[in-house]
Amino acid sequence: TSWCGACKKAKRLLSQWKVPFEEKDVEASASAQRELSAKAAAQGLRPSGVPVIDVAGTLLMGLDEATLRRTLEAKKLL
């Protein structure tokens, strides 16, 4: 979302780490919202806030820098 500080920090981290990403605003885009709902349902998750970060099919709820880094490393993206 445009107002989310954690979303902005996630974008900064991904840019700093040179990890390509695609930003999708679930408030501004109904298709992004549907996509997130479908991915979350498939993983048995119920997102209740932002950011939700899809790392090669693994959804991360919220922003924890260490978890994001470990997940990117495990997926060979960092």
Side-chain angles (χ1 to χ4, degrees):
T1 63
S2 61
W3 51 265
C4 173
C7 299
K8 291 173 185 166
K9 183 176 180 181
K11 291 189 296 185
R12 278 194 310 272
L13 287 170
L14 292 170
S15 294
Q16 177 185 337
W17 295 337
K18 297 183 177 24
V19 175
F21 65 92
E22 181 179 353
E23 179 182 6
K24 297 184 181 182
D25 187 332
V26 294
E27 280 190 335
S29 169
S31 65
Q33 190 174 42
R34 286 190 301 272
E35 179 183 349
L36 173 58
S37 293
K39 287 179 177 182
Q43 293 185 32
L45 301 172
R46 299 184 75 194
S48 61
V50 288
V52 177
I53 305 171
D54 181 345
V55 181
T58 299
L59 295 184
L60 303 178
M61 305 294 174
L63 176 61
D64 176 72
E65 187 175 338
T67 300
L68 177 58
R69 180 179 272 284
R70 277 193 309 273
T71 306
L72 288 166
E73 289 170 347
K75 299 281 187 170
K76 308 281 191 244
L77 298 171
L78 185 64

